[in-house]
Amino acid sequence: MEIRIGLIGAGWMGKAHTNSFVNALLNFGPEYGKPIFEVVSDVSAEAAQKASETLGYSRWTTNWQDVVTDEHIDIVDIATPNAFHYEIAKAALENGKHVYCEKPLTLSSEQSLELAEIAKAKGVVNYVGYNNVMNPATAYIKELVDTGKLGDIVGFFGTYAQDSLLDPDLPITWRHINKYSGSGALGDLGLPLVKCFPVYFGKY
């Protein structure tokens, strides 16, 4: 079975998603679906063209709406800045496309619920890439909690440190602006902990 993919966002995450499709094919075989890289979109024509050439997409465009309305596309892969996920995902779902969206799906629970209801009505998959849920370290923490080895969990404190901003010449990007990034590191890395501590987070 061939799965025809349209990627929106040709940056680092778009490359990561494309590599993941390739790795899935190598690890599980074509019986689970063979990815066909149909079209890649980015606001930068240079980035879109380069991604098409280096990642193996047949076509490229600077208009994401070309992707969500393309009759040859089965899955719309959204790898744009967070603030644009909702609009693109909604348009894709309304056009009957399956969606693979980088986290977070939207910047509000109301918008996420809306998209879930559209996906259900259209009979398509609306998948969000919370990959850390499958991280072995996360699974081990959940095992420790479930078996009671850590006792009763009454609180949790976590930190996230990244040295990528130590370079003084690094420009400000959408990740550093709240209205575009949304929940930031908490949404990116915190959700797997909800899977580990469901009683704690659910109760408090």
Side-chain angles (χ1 to χ4, degrees), residues 45 65 67 94 124 158:
Q65 293 182 347
V67 180
E94 288 179 336
V124 294

Side-chain angles (χ1 to χ4, degrees), residues 56-173:
Y57 286 85
S58 300
R59 298 171 282 130
W60 63 272
T61 178
T62 56
N63 186 351
W64 63 264
Q65 293 182 347
D66 292 341
V67 180
V68 301
T69 58
D70 192 321
E71 63 180 9
H72 297 104
I73 299 301
D74 300 311
I75 296 178
V76 173
D77 185 345
I78 303 171
T80 65
N82 297 349
F84 306 108
H85 290 182
Y86 167 73
E87 180 183 9
I88 297 172
K90 182 177 180 179
L93 293 171
E94 288 179 336
N95 278 280
K97 309 298 185 184
H98 300 292
V99 166
Y100 174 32
C101 184
E102 182 54 34
K103 57 191 179 301
L105 179 60
T106 72
L107 301 185
S108 75
S109 58
E110 292 80 10
Q111 288 180 339
S112 294
L113 178 59
E114 179 187 358
L115 295 187
E117 291 174 343
I118 294 173
K120 183 177 180 180
K122 291 288 186 177
V124 294
V125 174
N126 185 23
Y127 183 83
V128 184
Y130 286 112
N131 299 358
N132 281 326
V133 172
M134 305 303 293
N135 187 301
T138 303
Y140 179 60
I141 295 172
K142 187 174 189 308
E143 177 186 334
L144 293 177
V145 173
D146 290 346
T147 59
K149 290 182 179 180
L150 297 181
D152 294 331
I153 306 298
V154 296
F156 172 79
F157 176 79
T159 61
Y160 172 61
Q162 189 177 53
D163 63 3
S164 63
L165 298 180
L166 293 178
D167 183 353
D169 296 324
L170 188 72
I172 292 294
T173 72

Side-chain angles (χ1 to χ4, degrees), residues 159-204:
T159 61
Y160 172 61
Q162 189 177 53
D163 63 3
S164 63
L165 298 180
L166 293 178
D167 183 353
D169 296 324
L170 188 72
I172 292 294
T173 72
W174 64 268
R175 291 187 178 277
H176 311 121
I177 304 171
N178 286 344
K179 67 178 180 178
Y180 297 127
S181 64
S183 55
L186 180 62
D188 284 347
L189 302 173
L191 187 73
L193 297 175
V194 178
K195 301 283 284 186
C196 296
F197 305 107
V199 175
Y200 172 72
F201 282 100
K203 184 175 181 181
Y204 299 100

